[in-house]
Amino acid sequence: MAKKGSLFNDAMKRLNRAMEYTDFNKEIALRVGTPKSCLEVSVPLRRDNGSLEFFRGYRVRHDDTRGPTKGGLRYHPAVTLDEVKSLAFWMTFKCAVVGIPFGGAKGGISVNPKELSPMELERLSREFIRRIADFIGPDVDIPAPDVYTNERIMGWMMDEYSTIRRQHSPAMITGKPVSMGGSVGRSDATGRGAYYCIRELAKRVKLDPAETRIAVQGFGNAGQHVARLLHKDGYRIVAVSDSQGGIYSPGGFDIPSLIRTKEDTRHIKAVYCDGALCHAIEATNLTNAELLELDVDILIPAALENQITAENAPNIKARYIVEVANGPVTSDADTILNERKIEVIPDILANAGGVTVSYFEWLQNRSGYYWELQEIHQKLQAIMSREFEKVYDLALELQIDMRTAAYVHALKRLGETMEAKGTSSYFSNEKVP
Ligand code: NAD
């Protein structure tokens, strides 16, 4: 894995490259080049055995030019301020790419949640909300789930926030259980959004599902759903993995059975080693590094950032990479992949389905009127297909890669709003509005 310290620099490189293709005042890059505010908190946890421990927690609001800030909360030992700042930056661009009226934020706790009991997890989550309550809110900053957080945790957080504010506040967080004001269709929205992008790509480059081999790194929420939907359309999902390792079968896996077995055993390796599928399907174990370098048509990194770096980019054999994870490809790797004509559908577009349905959830909470699943799917598909087309066409028009095109597309929306508020061009009378 590449060094974490490079993440925010990577984000800036991409921003500067995209700025070359816009004629906005350079002030725009300055404004989005630094987060609006960063909060670091110490979160105490009384363990079940009576001992007291403290964990570092973060919430970064990157930019609220286009609306309240929005972004997930991650529980992972590797969470750092640099990582959270980069993820918050990406959220600003992600919301702008799909045209939803939010800015970007992100947060998390540096903790290994797998080492906590369910009650410890609840206490930690509620305490975190008590520490950041003045920094967030339905019109200010709205958290959501991310790696190793889920709808139950969002429910505890909403409950805690409502207790603090002494009012029912469902719109303060998204990704809640449906019974607590969550939206139907939120749980598979990220994977579904990526699936709609792949469908659009398939139309343009004429992919035949039965002939298209796909590898998915990270078989969690996002990875499982994109694999399930693609499998349903007849695509061949030949490899999947989780943090323990992966499995490979050139003929393709039956994804619904894999999901069921993974739910029962919790490890993808067990599906092959211990589960009944071991006897039914010919499959081999492989490492996450090997999965990335498989000879496939589409590679879907859906785990963590910095997976494809300058080291392994020369060995990638996929024709397309669809970034379901945030930041799985480093900017050094971008250069190599571009030279090798490997097309990357960038994270700020490919995984924007999650925040889009989060926006729908926020709208439903605020209006008190709840939509049917079919309506969610139709509206999500309309947004993802429309924005994919815009980014794809912009890339063709400017002869640039899709990542840069997505940033240019987002910058147009951000830049217009910032210019409307006034930049040095306006105040120095260079340009009359
Ligand atoms: P998750 O916790 O449900 O799943 C993560 C998966 O990755 C798990 O299967 C885990 O075992 C696996 N994993 C962890 N470390 C790994 C490693 N080193 N190699 C291979 N696999 C590894 O998380 P998720 O919600 O599916 O998020 C996955 C990615 O998608 C993250 O980058 C997240 O930021 C991004 N994302 C998620 C959403 C969402 O709505 N869930 C939205 C946008 C982006």
Side-chain angles (χ1 to χ4, degrees), residues 1 74 76 87 94 106 114 145-149 186 190 217-223 241-244 262 288 302-305 307 324-326 351 354-355:
M1 231 197 218
R74 177 175 290 198
H76 195 276
L87 292 164
K94 195 180 298 181
K106 206 78 182 191
K114 292 178 186 169
D146 191 69
V147 175
Y148 295 148
T149 56
R186 174 62 185 87
T190 302
Q217 185 206 34
F219 207 57
N221 175 302
S241 68
D242 61 18
S243 57
Q244 309 293 311
K262 162 97 180 156
N288 268 292
L304 296 172
E305 55 269 20
Q307 297 300 302
V324 168
N326 284 307
N351 70 27
V355 75

Side-chain angles (χ1 to χ4, degrees), residues 256-326:
S257 323
L258 276 193
I259 293 174
R260 271 195 308 276
T261 319
K262 162 97 180 156
E263 271 166 16
D264 293 344
T265 62
R266 293 184 166 261
H267 295 317
I268 208 82
K269 263 183 148 177
V271 173
Y272 175 64
C273 306
D274 310 329
L277 284 171
C278 182
H279 309 292
I281 302 175
E282 196 158 317
T284 41
N285 285 342
L286 80 179
T287 64
N288 268 292
E290 287 166 342
L291 178 140
L292 296 173
E293 296 178 13
L294 280 175
D295 182 12
V296 290
D297 301 290
I298 303 179
L299 174 62
I300 305 183
L304 296 172
E305 55 269 20
N306 288 340
Q307 297 300 302
I308 301 169
T309 65
E311 274 167 45
N312 59 0
N315 308 328
I316 301 292
K317 295 177 194 69
R319 285 154 62 202
Y320 305 99
I321 297 177
V322 181
E323 293 185 322
V324 168
N326 284 307

Side-chain angles (χ1 to χ4, degrees), residues 74-94:
R74 177 175 290 198
Y75 287 178
H76 195 276
V79 166
T80 60
L81 184 58
D82 178 77
E83 179 185 70
V84 177
K85 277 162 67 176
S86 314
L87 292 164
F89 168 90
W90 284 324
M91 284 307 297
T92 298
F93 280 81
K94 195 180 298 181

